[in-house]
Amino acid sequence: MKGIKGSGFFVETTFVLFFLSLDLGQNISSFGPDSALVLLTILMVAVLPFFLPSAGNAGMGSWLVGRTSIVAMGLLGGVFLDFSAGGLVPEVFRTLPLVFATFAAIAACWFMFSGFFRYRLTA
């Protein structure tokens, strides 16, 4: 459940965070209630995995710096994808960030719950 061994870095939620920020970056020009919910979800996915049990959480400050950089890359990529969709890349690529975010969230839940419910032998 702890992503990279001993670092407290959760790979699954990082992908969810990146793809959600890609989707928000695409819709940043028309910010509305749906974008506000995506922003709230990004904040929750950025902060709450820090409190999951793992060995080696360095500190909240370094955790937030890493997560903020991931969100910033996703927002910039989303803005670029918004401007390039239809011209540089096909229009169908507009829907991919949310599709990938859904698949990444399903995989993250699968890995986390399988870690919780893994059968362990007792001696």
Side-chain angles (χ1 to χ4, degrees), residues 7 12 22 28-30 33 41 43 47-48 54 64 66 74 83 86 88 95-96 120:
S7 70
E12 303 89 10
L22 265 177
I28 201 79
S29 61
S30 62
T41 305
L43 289 173
V47 175
L48 292 180
S54 69
L64 287 178
F83 286 128
L88 188 58
T95 60
L96 286 181
R120 294 188 174 101

Side-chain angles (χ1 to χ4, degrees), residues 25-99:
Q26 280 184 324
N27 302 320
I28 201 79
S29 61
S30 62
F31 195 83
D34 55 340
S35 298
L37 286 175
V38 171
L39 183 62
L40 180 65
T41 305
I42 286 172
L43 289 173
M44 288 190 305
V45 172
V47 175
L48 292 180
F50 176 78
F51 298 106
L52 289 174
S54 69
N57 278 344
M60 186 66 144
S62 62
W63 174 268
L64 287 178
V65 167
R67 291 297 174 127
T68 304
S69 64
I70 292 167
V71 170
M73 286 188 300
L75 285 173
L76 288 174
V79 168
F80 174 73
L81 190 60
D82 183 41
F83 286 128
S84 63
L88 188 58
V89 295
E91 187 70 28
V92 74
F93 284 107
R94 230 180 246 283
T95 60
L96 286 181
L98 201 53
V99 170

